[in-house]
Every structure is written in C-alpha cells, then in structure tokens.
Amino acid sequence: MDILTDETRRFLAATAPEHDEIQAEMAAYAEQNGFPIIGPEAGGVLRMLANLANAKRLFEFGSGFGYSATWFAKGMADDAELFLTEHDADELDMARDFFERTGLADRTTFLEGDALELVEQVDGEFDLVLFDHQKHRYAEAFDVVRDRIEVGGVVVADNIMRGPIDFGSLADWSEGATEALDGTNADTRGIAAYLDAVRADPRYETIVLPVGNGIAVSSRVE
C-alpha cells in the first residue's frame, strides 16, 4: 500500500539529501539485490536526529550491511560510539568493509548475533537507538532499553507504515478498531504492540513520520 501520493513521494525524493559515494554504492547494491533500506528521505531524518541529540552513543537493533548507520554517522558527535548488530555474518562483514572505507570503523563496534542479547553486553546508556530488526520484537526491545536512554535521547523504529505489515489493518486499529488486528501477521501485531508500549510510557513523546517506510520517533523528555 502506498502511504504517500505520487506527487508527495516525488517531492520528498527530490528534496532529500544526496548520497555520498559510499552510500550510493550501498543503495545500488540494495536495489540490485532487493534488500530493503530506509532510503535518503528517512536517512536525512536520522542524520538530523543524531545532530540534534548531539548523539555520542548510538545502538542499532538490526543493521544489515550498515546503510542506516552511515546516516547516523553523518550527524553524530565527533567522539561518538556507534554499535551495529546483525545476525547475518556476511552482511556484518559488508558493513565493516564499508565503514573501513569511510574511515568510521575505529568508532564503530560490530556485533554479530541477536540484538536483544547483544545490547545486554554493552554497558551504559544511549543517546540514540534504532529498531530495524524483527518487527514482532520491537516492544520487547523497547522494554530492554527504555531505561537506558538519556533524557533528550531518541528511539527510532522503522517499518511503521510499510514493509512486512498490513498497514490498512494497522490504520484501522489506530482509530480504535482493535478487532482489525485479528488474523494479521505477527509483524503487524508487533508494530501495534510497540506503538502501544512507547506511547504509554509518560517519559517519552512519540510521533510517526511518513518518510521511507514510516518511522516512529520517540524522544525521552524525563
């Protein structure tokens, strides 16, 4: 289902930030191999959020071959630490190669395995977190990190409006039709559970932006 009109989509694409050389190579690989990426429209938002939060510790739940992380890297503080997680060893190796070529590898930790287990191995709090792993586990991931986000920090969740979900049913659910989720897949129910969880936490303020595949942005305010 298209979440934007054709004119709006064209306008956002035309006004989105441009890829650098490495990002263009990554985007070309994604297109050739049918690999979903957030794209420059949402990527620009990630860059801005990293800049606004003056992010010094960033953690991704599901990094693929590192495309979204390159946008974070453009906005994060010069002394920032970036943690990438991926269960696919080959994709993580690709991410490592791309980051070595961009000169960012020395500020990046590449972790292989289940992100929900890996985050427990990293001490300290975070300024910026991205959920882009299994959609049915978003709420669980939020529960793991909600107390570890600095005040002023941000949590971003991808695929809120498009991807392996039934957006029509999710839209009906958002208006109060709880039965709309009956018979939907685990990912659709997982996005709903995540939105319920993050919006119910009074320490966070959440908005949904219809860029890319739809991202939920939650800022910790207290």
Side-chain angles (χ1 to χ4, degrees):
M1 174 183 292
D2 288 336
I3 60 176
L4 300 172
T5 65
D6 181 60
E7 290 80 3
T8 302
R9 186 168 51 252
R10 287 166 45 211
F11 180 76
L12 289 175
T15 57
E18 294 184 2
H19 284 137
D20 61 29
E21 184 177 348
I22 296 295
Q23 288 177 320
E25 183 179 338
M26 298 171 89
Y29 172 86
E31 183 174 3
Q32 292 166 8
N33 293 273
F35 193 102
I37 57 174
I38 61 171
E41 296 93 333
V45 176
L46 298 188
R47 181 181 67 183
M48 181 177 290
L49 291 172
N51 182 270
L52 292 174
N54 190 31
K56 295 185 176 181
R57 301 193 85 229
L58 304 88
F59 192 98
E60 288 194 341
F61 285 73
S63 298
F65 56 87
Y67 177 85
S68 59
T70 65
W71 288 105
F72 279 141
K74 286 177 176 287
M76 67 188 189
D78 291 340
D79 57 347
E81 298 177 272
L82 181 56
F83 297 88
L84 275 63
T85 66
E86 179 55 48
H87 64 83
D88 187 304
D90 291 337
E91 289 178 16
L92 197 63
D93 283 342
M94 288 180 61
R96 187 178 290 105
D97 177 65
F98 281 126
F99 270 62
E100 286 176 352
R101 291 166 55 195
T102 59
L104 293 167
D106 61 338
R107 292 193 284 158
T108 308
T109 300
F110 302 88
L111 303 171
E112 180 184 345
D114 186 326
L116 273 81
E117 297 176 1
L118 294 170
V119 72
E120 302 282 14
Q121 302 172 19
V122 178
D123 295 329
E125 297 186 322
F126 305 107
D127 301 298
L128 192 48
V129 167
L130 172 68
F131 297 142
D132 197 10
H133 58 308
Q134 296 162 305
K135 316 310 166 192
H136 64 276
R137 302 180 74 192
Y138 277 16
E140 182 183 0
F142 177 64
D143 192 52
V144 169
V145 301
R146 68 169 77 200
D147 296 328
R148 297 179 61 184
I149 306 299
E150 296 274 12
V151 174
V154 178
V155 177
V156 182
D158 192 26
N159 293 116
I160 298 298
M161 303 174 72
R162 185 165 56 190
I165 64 168
D166 181 344
F167 180 57
S169 295
L170 196 63
D172 290 341
W173 164 84
S174 71
E175 295 178 328
T178 55
E179 72 281 359
L181 297 180
D182 294 347
T184 59
N185 62 25
D187 289 325
T188 303
R189 298 193 303 274
I191 294 296
Y194 172 74
L195 291 174
D196 270 344
V198 74
R199 293 170 68 194
D201 192 322
R203 298 170 298 174
Y204 287 84
E205 292 183 356
T206 299
I207 59 170
V208 174
L209 302 178
V211 293
N213 294 315
I215 57 175
V217 178
S218 303
S219 175
R220 183 166 182 182
V221 297
E222 63 179 68

